[in-house]
Amino acid sequence: MANVLYINSSVRSSGSLSRQLSAEFIAKWQANHPSDTVVERDLAANPVPHLTEEMLGAFFTPPEARNAEQAFTVKLSDKLVDEVLAADVIVIGAPMYNFSVPSGLKAYIDHIARAGRTFKYTETGPVGLAGGKKVYVFTASGGVYSEGPAAGYDFLATYLRAVLGFLGITDISFIQAEGVALGEQALADTLAKSRQSIDALAAA
């Protein structure tokens, strides 16, 4: 039995391809792995607050030295970190907004990238503490950014691969619905390709 953490970050409650495709994956995953537990976190319906000076101060204060206000401040972040550390599989719906991730997903990552919890500093450099997980990222974009002349504008996949790798998570699969604004045939083709990937990956 595995623990699956399912994260959605599209601000659209309907009409979102990243939501649609990741939900199809979750449904097929549950059909193939009925004993697995799925924890859902919707960053649009329940947004995570952006970092503040007070939050950072609380993060870097040892737990035993935090006052009541600081302890309350880190409560949500600690819960988010606990969910990540408990997960064996992480599924992320992440549409491309202005070449990168939605701001809600960035805020979430700022809460789970915690020194002493998901990574640590050593004499030889930082070491990730959240390894041993499989991550599936479902992206959607109007143009094509995985290859071709616009590849240099893809700060979504490059960012997620880098920050998750920093936390020790390197087993990452990207399922990219690209070119969805390039006409009906392009949309149909990319959806068919994504669904082929979903069938193969959900059965693994």
Side-chain angles (χ1 to χ4, degrees):
M1 186 177 85
N3 292 320
V4 180
L5 177 59
Y6 177 28
I7 302 164
N8 264 307
S9 63
S10 173
V11 300
R12 300 170 70 186
S13 59
S14 62
S16 165
L17 288 180
S18 64
R19 282 184 183 275
Q20 178 182 329
L21 293 172
S22 61
E24 290 178 17
F25 175 81
I26 287 292
K28 291 191 174 183
W29 182 278
Q30 290 181 299
N32 291 324
H33 307 84
S35 62
D36 286 3
T37 300
V38 177
V39 173
E40 295 190 33
R41 185 159 287 278
D42 190 327
L43 300 177
N46 296 288
V48 172
H50 289 278
L51 294 186
T52 64
E53 183 177 3
E54 290 73 22
M55 286 181 192
L56 283 179
F59 288 169
F60 287 101
T61 300
E64 65 277 6
R66 290 175 188 147
N67 58 34
E69 182 178 355
Q70 288 175 319
F72 178 80
T73 297
V74 302
K75 192 173 182 179
L76 173 60
S77 179
D78 281 343
K79 181 180 173 84
L80 298 177
V81 170
D82 289 343
E83 289 177 352
V84 169
L85 294 178
D88 303 294
V89 176
I90 301 175
V91 179
I92 303 173
M96 178 182 281
Y97 291 170
N98 298 315
F99 311 119
S100 189
V101 299
S103 62
L105 182 55
K106 176 59 169 65
Y108 171 84
I109 290 170
D110 286 341
H111 279 269
I112 65 166
R114 292 268 305 277
R117 297 221 55 199
T118 51
F119 73 93
K120 66 179 179 179
Y121 293 109
T122 72
E123 293 180 355
T124 56
V127 175
L129 301 176
K133 307 175 190 306
K134 174 64 184 178
V135 175
Y136 301 93
V137 181
F138 289 82
T139 72
S141 59
V144 175
Y145 298 93
S146 64
E147 60 184 7
Y153 291 96
D154 180 6
F155 301 104
L156 186 156
T158 51
Y159 169 68
L160 288 179
R161 197 180 295 281
V163 72
L164 291 172
F166 185 82
L167 304 183
I169 304 171
T170 57
D171 189 358
I172 308 169
S173 293
F174 285 87
I175 301 87
Q176 296 168 298
E178 298 187 286
V180 302
L182 302 181
E184 291 184 7
Q185 189 59 53
L187 174 60
D189 289 345
T190 196
L191 288 179
K193 182 179 179 182
S194 294
R195 286 178 172 133
Q196 285 181 344
S197 297
I198 287 171
D199 288 340
L201 293 171

